Structure formats: structure tokens, C-alpha cells
Amino acid sequence: MTDQATFAPERLKAFVDAVVAIAMTLLILPLLESVSEAADAGTDTGEFLVEHSGQRCCGSQSHGC
């Protein structure tokens, strides 16, 4: 077995970890902006959640997001 074959799984895992981290960052950025705007407007947590209760992450009913 060569060194290249030995390190392939670790490299794949590192790549997948990086992709997931970037995706999570891109998903959270709009939330941070919305929360900041709500804070500037003086909206409390309950009001914010009621205003955004109709939003769904993907529209799928199967997993309850």
C-alpha cells in the first residue's frame, strides 16, 4: 500500500468537514442579520419568533423543520 492510498480517507474527511463548515456558516449569516435588525427595532424574542413562525428551512413536512 502506498502513502497516497493511506492518506486518502483523511483528506476526504478533512474536505467534507470544510464543506460542512462553510455551508453552516452560509446558513447562519442571514439569521444573524435578522436578529440584529430585530434587536435594533426593539423586538423581543417572542415577537421575533411569532413574526417568523411561517418560515421553513426546506418546506418538507417529513422532518418537522
Side-chain angles (χ1 to χ4, degrees):
M1 188 176 286
T2 66
D3 287 337
Q4 186 177 9
T6 303
F7 293 113
E10 289 88 13
R11 292 184 70 186
L12 178 61
K13 183 181 180 294
F15 176 76
V16 170
D17 286 346
V19 169
V20 170
I22 292 169
M24 290 174 63
T25 300
L26 293 176
L27 288 171
I28 198 72
L29 286 175
L31 177 62
L32 292 175
E33 185 177 316
S34 297
V35 169
S36 176
E37 290 173 1
D40 290 342
T43 306
D44 67 10
T45 304
E47 292 172 357
F48 179 81
L49 293 175
V50 168
E51 289 175 7
H52 295 87
S53 64
Q55 297 179 355
R56 295 196 174 270
C57 64
C58 64
S60 173
Q61 299 287 336
S62 64
H63 55 80
C65 73

